[in-house]
Amino acid sequence: MKLNFRGIPAHIILIIFSVIALFPFYFMTVTAFKTNNEYYENLYAPPEDWTVENFGVLIEKHKFFRGFLNSAIVTIASIGLTIIVSVFASYAYSKMDFKGRKFILSLTVSLSSIPIMIVIIPIFALMSKLKLLDTYAGVSIVYASFMLPFSIFFLTGFFNSIPNELLNAASIDGCSRFQTLFRIIMPLSRPIITALVIVNSLWVWNDLLIAMMFLRLDRMRTIAVSLHLVGGRYALNPVLIQAGAFFVAVPMVIVFLVGQRYFTRGLLAGALKE
Amino acid sequence: MNNNFSKKYGPYFYILPSMVFLSLIFVFPMIQNLVKSFYRTSFDGGKSVFYGFNNYIFLLTKDFLTRAAAWHNVKLLMLIPMLLVLSIFFSVILSGKIRGAKIYQTFMFAPYIISIVVVGVVFSRMLRFDGIINLMLTKIGLGMLAKDWFGRTQYALYAIIVVILWRELPFGIILFSAGIRNIDESIYEAAKIDGANWLQTVFHITIPQLKGIINFYVIYNIMMVFAWMFTYVFVMTKGGPGNSTTILELQIYNLAFKKYQVGMASALSILLFITIFIFIYFQFRFRTSLLEER
């Protein structure tokens, strides 16, 4: 019994705060299923006739399904790349001895806080020179690079907790360094890699700036960018915008509800020892 | 012989791919920024002219837009005490073995998982003059408070601050909840025997025990304010009305992509980098010590 502020007052505070946290979700959801006329007559209540017409318009006219696919492709490709590169690097940082190990690791990790805006203009110029603008490959490389510092930090921390005796035993059994990675370390790391995938995919799926700059063609747009273009403060079609917001939010709400445990663990990695 | 070689240089092959990616996003861009910041670039893609320190001098002494943007970043720092107090407050309540804590937690975390673009379009609609927030204010008799929150220069930045608070608070709650869970139960038992009441245990045990996390959280948020606010402003106000909500990141974006003054944008990038370098350094120190302790 750590603290004894429980009872009714605590519940009242928590309920009020939960309502504030969830109210925009409520507004977005009920508005998404209204017609434009009903929105102006009935701002808060759920719609009298639920309609999915808005989603039809989004998919037909604003290519939201295509955007959904683009987002999925970019998320999967960039996270796959991140995991492969960071597993190798973290394995070396955690289990091998080499000159400059500590220094390079610290430098790498500190880059996790580099602000994207101050480096993105030169990256844009470079990608343009390499003819990688408006390609899935180009944008995936950019996303993966920004995810690497945190991912390496996260995985190195976990690999450090794997006992060296386990690796020594494997090497006595004749496993090479490379085989040890796949036979011993990877199977042990499954939960931690899941956490990393969830945290990273939230970031890629939700990002606007990089997607907007590196995928400029209509057919390449990610869903966050499509929503940004449909939105706008003075846009005339509020129900369509809220339907778009709903469309973008729902996949991540599902990911969150399914993987909440992993999500929390992933977020905490930067701040706490496990 | 071969074995020796792989023992000595093998590790570098494992880190090589990551080094390539990281030089792409950091080393190369920063060198580019530094070089370009000394040039004046022309609108039409013609020849750039060497310009010495003039970009820097202009930004630091003459450019009122940049100064306004920097001032808005400083104003955003008021988020930090709000985030700190609220997230400690809620995590203390949640840790009190309250019924249904899990459900409350899930509800409270929800804002953190959706895209800032979604946050932006939803709040823009709710905070319009004819939006739902103003309608509710009118219904409860506070109609005189109804405003076009993003449309007035004196309120727009504060409206943005409220939205950022709404979305970023869950991270603090997750952080401090975990921190409180890690505090040794026996300290509370001892305090209870000494007759400490609930409030005393919060101020004399919980908060001092969370000191390390508080340090981390404050530094994290300072960096957030200077480095990761672009999307909020870009989707909600684009810096307007007037320039009442521009921030440094948006100013860099506008210089490069609206005014095509890449040299000036690079100089501002360097200045912003220097500003946050010190915080990067602190975080760097912090994270290294964490890795060493494991």
Side-chain angles (χ1 to χ4, degrees):
Chain A
M1 219 184 294
K2 261 184 185 172
L3 304 164
N4 46 23
F5 183 69
R6 293 185 283 172
I8 309 288
H11 278 287
I12 292 174
I13 292 172
L14 290 173
I15 288 170
I16 291 173
F17 186 60
S18 301
V19 169
I20 295 173
L22 294 181
F23 184 74
F25 288 89
Y26 165 80
F27 173 76
M28 170 180 89
T29 309
V30 297
T31 309
F33 294 95
K34 283 175 189 169
T35 60
N36 232 344
N37 286 339
E38 192 178 351
Y39 173 81
Y40 286 109
E41 282 159 19
N42 161 22
L43 211 50
Y44 1 60
E48 269 156 33
D49 313 294
W50 295 70
T51 169
V52 290
E53 193 191 323
N54 296 322
F55 295 97
V57 176
L58 286 171
I59 290 169
E60 289 277 315
K61 223 179 119 197
H62 300 282
K63 307 280 182 288
F64 260 53
F65 188 68
R66 181 70 207 228
F68 184 91
L69 277 183
N70 289 335
S71 282
I73 292 169
V74 169
T75 305
I76 292 167
S78 60
I79 288 174
L81 192 60
T82 308
I83 299 291
I84 295 168
V85 174
S86 58
V87 161
F88 279 112
S90 307
Y91 182 41
Y93 287 128
S94 167
K95 297 296 176 201
M96 298 175 199
D97 199 26
F98 55 93
K99 225 175 153 184
R101 183 185 71 90
K102 244 166 128 179
F103 176 74
I104 305 172
L105 175 60
S106 307
L107 206 65
T108 303
V109 168
S110 70
L111 288 187
S112 63
S113 28
I114 200 80
I116 295 177
M117 186 52 85
I118 70 174
V119 290
I120 201 141
I121 299 162
I123 298 176
F124 182 82
L126 179 73
M127 286 307 203
S128 153
K129 253 185 218 144
L130 296 173
K131 301 259 183 298
L132 282 171
L133 284 180
D134 305 317
T135 62
Y136 295 123
V139 79
S140 302
I141 289 170
V142 175
Y143 276 126
S145 310
F146 281 111
M147 288 186 280
L148 272 180
F150 173 75
S151 305
I152 290 173
F153 170 74
F154 189 50
L155 285 176
T156 305
F158 177 75
F159 288 175
N160 282 347
S161 72
I162 297 176
N164 285 328
E165 292 78 40
L166 220 57
L167 307 190
N168 293 341
S171 110
I172 289 165
D173 288 347
C175 273
S176 71
R177 202 145 60 180
F178 196 69
Q179 286 167 325
T180 311
L181 178 61
F182 285 94
R183 294 205 185 142
I184 312 279
I185 292 187
M186 289 304 278
L188 286 171
S189 313
R190 211 167 287 156
I192 213 75
I193 289 179
T194 311
L196 194 57
V197 168
I198 288 181
V199 172
N200 281 344
S201 55
L202 276 172
W203 183 68
V204 177
W205 184 275
N206 289 341
D207 172 74
L208 175 70
L209 176 60
I210 293 174
M212 184 172 78
M213 287 184 54
F214 292 92
L215 295 174
R216 299 163 305 169
L217 302 176
D218 287 0
R219 63 190 161 79
M220 303 292 284
R221 248 181 233 149
T222 65
I223 195 158
V225 179
S226 304
L227 174 61
H228 177 66
L229 295 175
V230 172
R233 203 158 81 88
Y234 296 107
L236 287 171
N237 203 339
V239 294
L240 191 69
I241 299 167
Q242 299 311 314
F246 184 82
F247 206 118
V248 178
V250 162
M252 287 303 119
V253 171
I254 294 169
V255 168
F256 170 68
L257 291 176
V258 172
Q260 197 180 355
R261 199 160 47 93
Y262 296 111
F263 170 73
T264 318
R265 190 174 185 182
L267 284 185
L268 290 175
L272 295 171
K273 291 177 284 176
E274 308 230 272
Chain B
M1 181 68 202
N2 188 18
N3 211 352
N4 235 338
F5 175 83
S6 102
K7 212 169 169 77
K8 199 161 173 202
Y9 298 105
Y12 293 107
F13 288 103
Y14 284 82
I15 63 167
L16 184 68
S18 69
M19 303 316 296
V20 173
F21 283 102
L22 293 173
S23 39
L24 169 80
I25 60 150
F26 183 68
V27 182
F28 168 79
M30 286 317 281
I31 293 170
Q32 281 278 319
N33 274 338
L34 196 63
V35 173
K36 289 223 169 113
S37 71
F38 295 111
Y39 283 86
R40 183 189 179 132
T41 43
S42 63
F43 302 95
D44 48 8
K47 264 210 148 155
S48 336
V49 188
F50 186 75
Y51 209 36
F53 279 99
N54 285 338
N55 284 330
Y56 291 98
I57 292 167
F58 178 76
L59 286 170
L60 288 171
T61 61
K62 297 209 180 82
D63 187 10
F64 73 96
L65 279 175
T66 300
R67 193 172 312 158
W71 173 237
H72 296 144
N73 275 99
V74 171
K75 270 190 167 172
L76 286 176
L77 288 173
M78 74 172 78
L79 273 163
I80 296 172
M82 298 183 202
L83 283 166
L84 196 61
V85 170
L86 286 174
S87 53
I88 292 179
F89 176 72
F90 284 114
S91 36
V92 164
I93 293 181
L94 279 171
S95 71
K97 301 218 167 103
I98 201 161
R99 267 234 194 113
K102 269 258 144 62
I103 299 171
Y104 286 127
Q105 230 161 40
T106 308
F107 289 164
M108 288 181 172
F109 293 175
Y112 200 62
I113 57 161
I114 52 170
S115 173
I116 297 175
V117 187
V118 173
V119 175
V121 299
V122 173
F123 274 92
S124 302
R125 194 50 64 167
M126 295 203 315
L127 290 169
R128 262 168 66 116
F129 191 71
D130 59 356
I132 194 162
I133 303 283
N134 285 333
L135 189 69
M136 286 162 99
L137 285 173
T138 314
K139 280 262 161 85
I140 58 170
L142 293 170
M144 70 281 193
L145 290 181
K147 294 180 178 71
D148 185 7
W149 296 98
F150 286 131
R152 300 286 295 277
T153 46
Q154 62 270 55
Y155 306 119
L157 193 67
Y158 298 101
I160 290 178
I161 285 176
V162 170
V163 177
I164 297 170
L165 191 63
W166 178 83
R167 188 178 121 107
E168 297 291 335
L169 190 59
F171 178 63
I173 297 177
I174 294 175
L175 207 60
F176 288 110
S177 295
I180 291 172
R181 240 178 288 129
N182 283 352
I183 298 174
D184 191 351
E185 193 83 19
S186 60
I187 308 178
Y188 289 99
E189 298 300 329
K192 224 162 144 197
I193 291 165
D194 292 342
N197 64 26
W198 176 76
L199 211 60
Q200 283 170 328
T201 58
V202 170
F203 280 100
H204 291 112
I205 300 174
T206 312
I207 292 175
Q209 290 282 323
L210 292 173
K211 210 178 133 215
I213 303 179
I214 292 174
N215 285 342
F216 169 82
Y217 191 55
V218 169
I219 292 171
Y220 172 87
N221 280 318
I222 293 172
M223 286 187 354
M224 179 183 84
V225 161
F226 282 100
W228 300 322
M229 294 279 99
F230 172 80
T231 315
Y232 285 109
V233 173
F234 189 73
V235 298
M236 288 191 279
T237 63
K238 287 212 163 66
N243 63 335
S244 61
T245 56
T246 49
I247 53 170
L248 289 170
E249 289 170 274
L250 186 68
Q251 181 65 10
I252 294 174
Y253 181 88
N254 286 342
L255 283 172
F257 295 104
K258 291 255 157 70
K259 298 182 180 161
Y260 302 104
Q261 298 177 325
V262 176
M264 197 71 84
S266 303
L268 188 53
S269 298
I270 296 286
L271 290 175
L272 182 59
F273 178 73
I274 293 168
T275 312
I276 45 193
F277 180 79
I278 188 148
F279 300 114
I280 294 186
Y281 175 77
F282 275 124
Q283 223 196 15
F284 168 102
R285 284 277 299 270
F286 193 84
R287 293 203 163 170
T288 336
S289 68
L290 276 182
L291 277 178
E292 294 308 313
E293 279 172 43
R294 276 183 208 237

